[in-house]
Amino acid sequence: MASGAGRTTGQVVAVVGLAVAVALFLSVAAVRHGFFDLKVYYGALNFWVHDGGEIYDFLKPGTQYGFTYPPFAALTMLPMTALSWTAAIVLSVAGSVLASAVVIWWLVDPIARRAGWTRWYALAVALCLAAAFEPMRETVNFGQVNMLLLFLVAVDLLRLLPAGNRWAGVGIGLATAIKLTPGVFIVYLLVTGRWRAAATAVGTAAGATLVAAALFPDASREFWTSALWNTGRVGELAFVSNQSLRGVVARLNPEHPATLAWVALVLAVLAVWAWRCRAAVAAGDEATGLALTGALMCLVSPVTWVHHLVWLLPGLILLVDAAMAAPARSRRRRALLAATAIGYGLLISRIVWAWEKDFTGLDGFLGSNTYVWISLALLLFLPIRHRAAPAATGPPASGPTAAGPTVTAPTAAGPTVTAPTAAGPTAAGTGGGRVAPGQPSRRPA
């Protein structure tokens, strides 16, 4: 008993120490954006509801930025019009924190169970580390909706779909109706042959869109016929915050970005993604399907601001999962933990901003696209986990692998390596960065 109490005390002290260290880091590294995007949403909604204007006509005073989401997103945000500005901030931050905590719990808890970690302690450490993650802190500081969308998709891929629930697809459909880019997860369902879930997602997205059209016909007509296609409102493609393949190509020639080269790159990563996602689903590894598709979305979207990269968070957590499944003190475990540390370290560092003013030359090409290289690495090399196949005949095998999962780590090419884990629950069944004041502006996304 005394030993257990001492362990708990040590864990509490460690969490408090880590939280203080993260707070000190954020006090230096985090850029204050004053909830810029939330101000756009709040202003546009109040202009629409209280002032009788059209939501897509609103521009935040002193800027060229207005509301760019579909009308269904405006419908979900309508309660903000009954709140004070301070209450809207509280609601935005609380929503992002709660959604983040749930998604991280779904991903971290299976690791904690298999590794024998104290579950609350594992979650607390993960949340502290997530708070320092640049895309996460940018999402909170801008008042963005990224983590809420990730939560909706994760409900489907980590909870409903693995359980065979007939409602699987609803979360993806709602996320797509709020913001179009999560629609790539509908493609994921189609590519991996989950026709019912794909139909549910399409039906949900279409139904939500039609409800918004029935309630707000003028706003819907404006969005689908004009605002959606006005790409000039999005922002500068070559701006260093755009960590997508389109951004890479644009930074090579900002005046005349090579569209053909971008399309070729997109087709190449789509082919790799389809191959790897089908392998993940064949292995029953829906969590890796989520991570791979999140990385793909960041790569192929024409604009992926730094705060959109919260979709890389599942991939980083799953790297830890794969490392803990490898034999203790093995080269594989060390390599995976090192890859996680490097990726995470870069994604809290703001390293790409060192090339904000000048991204020319080899160093500019490599450094200004750092987050793109991380997305590509996750897409190509994130391990896929497999359950051990049951023996056809004979008594159950003895030893720690008799009832446990195995983890297979295919790379882009070559053989796979399988590492046994201890018996117990398996994870296979779990499943717009803004610029600082004075920096170039861009459209909220």
Side-chain angles (χ1 to χ4, degrees):
M1 182 69 68
S3 175
R7 180 185 182 189
T8 299
T9 301
Q11 290 174 338
V12 170
V13 171
V15 169
V16 171
L18 179 60
V20 170
V22 169
L24 292 174
F25 171 77
L26 292 177
S27 70
V28 176
V31 177
R32 275 60 169 179
H33 300 294
F35 299 97
F36 185 97
D37 289 1
L38 185 62
K39 285 181 180 176
V40 172
Y41 311 152
Y42 188 79
L45 288 165
N46 278 284
F47 176 73
W48 186 34
V49 172
H50 298 305
D51 298 337
E54 288 295 335
I55 190 168
Y56 296 108
D57 291 340
F58 173 83
L59 294 178
K60 184 178 179 296
T63 76
Q64 57 181 341
Y65 303 127
F67 195 84
T68 57
Y69 292 146
F72 182 72
L75 176 62
T76 63
M77 295 181 186
L78 273 180
M80 279 201 300
T81 60
L83 301 176
S84 67
W85 170 239
T86 300
I89 292 175
V90 171
L91 181 64
S92 172
V93 173
S96 289
V97 170
L98 182 59
S100 302
V102 173
V103 172
I104 291 172
W105 173 253
W106 287 341
L107 292 167
V108 168
D109 188 53
I111 309 174
R113 287 175 177 270
R114 289 196 304 275
W117 299 338
T118 305
R119 295 163 68 195
W120 73 262
Y121 177 66
L123 176 63
V125 170
L127 289 176
C128 287
L129 295 176
F133 191 56
E134 184 180 356
M136 184 76 76
R137 65 191 194 233
E138 292 281 285
T139 287
V140 173
N141 283 331
F142 277 121
Q144 265 283 344
V145 299
N146 303 306
M147 286 309 302
L148 300 175
L149 299 177
L150 177 52
F151 167 77
L152 288 173
V153 172
V155 168
D156 276 345
L157 298 192
L158 300 184
R159 314 310 288 183
L160 300 183
L161 202 57
N165 191 294
R166 65 176 181 173
W167 294 104
V170 169
I172 292 172
L174 289 174
T176 303
I178 292 170
K179 187 175 182 179
L180 300 181
T181 48
V184 71
F185 285 93
I186 299 178
V187 182
Y188 165 75
L189 294 174
L190 293 171
V191 165
T192 55
R194 270 74 63 81
W195 311 111
R196 177 171 179 168
T200 300
V202 170
T204 301
T209 300
L210 289 174
V211 167
L215 294 173
F216 318 124
D218 292 339
S220 295
R221 182 168 50 254
E222 173 68 15
F223 177 80
W224 294 107
T225 63
S226 178
L228 174 62
W229 311 105
N230 188 356
T231 56
R233 302 167 63 191
V234 175
E236 177 56 49
L237 291 175
F239 183 45
V240 75
S241 183
N242 184 14
Q243 291 292 303
S244 69
L245 292 173
R246 185 64 162 154
V248 173
V249 172
R251 281 186 284 277
L252 289 174
N253 187 350
E255 297 300 323
H256 303 286
T259 300
L260 185 61
W262 172 58
V263 170
L265 289 171
V266 167
L267 291 176
V269 298
L270 280 171
V272 173
W273 165 78
W275 165 54
R276 299 220 65 211
C277 282
R278 289 175 65 86
V281 170
D285 188 2
E286 211 70 64
T288 296
L290 165 64
L292 292 173
T293 308
L296 174 82
M297 185 171 66
C298 294
L299 289 167
V300 303
S301 175
V303 175
T304 298
W305 304 126
V306 169
H307 59 73
H308 295 149
L309 296 173
V310 294
W311 292 92
L312 301 185
L313 193 59
L316 292 177
I317 295 174
L318 292 177
L319 278 178
V320 177
D321 192 357
M324 298 312 299
R329 295 184 295 276
S330 66
R331 179 178 299 178
R332 173 175 168 75
R333 176 176 285 194
R334 291 195 299 270
L336 288 169
L337 289 176
T340 306
I342 292 170
Y344 174 77
L346 291 172
L347 282 164
I348 70 172
S349 68
R350 286 184 55 84
I351 188 172
V352 298
W353 299 98
W355 289 273
E356 178 189 355
K357 302 298 183 183
D358 182 7
F359 39 74
T360 59
L362 179 61
D363 67 311
F365 175 72
L366 296 175
S368 69
N369 300 309
T370 298
Y371 301 163
V372 178
W373 311 142
I374 295 173
S375 298
L376 280 171
L378 288 172
L379 180 64
L380 291 171
F381 303 116
L382 183 66
I384 293 173
R385 302 163 300 169
H386 294 257
R387 287 181 180 272
T393 60
S398 61
T401 61
T406 61
V407 176
T408 304
T411 58
T416 61
V417 179
T418 303
T421 65
T426 174
T430 64
R434 188 73 52 151
V435 297
Q439 296 174 336
S441 304
R442 50 88 179 159
R443 186 82 177 174

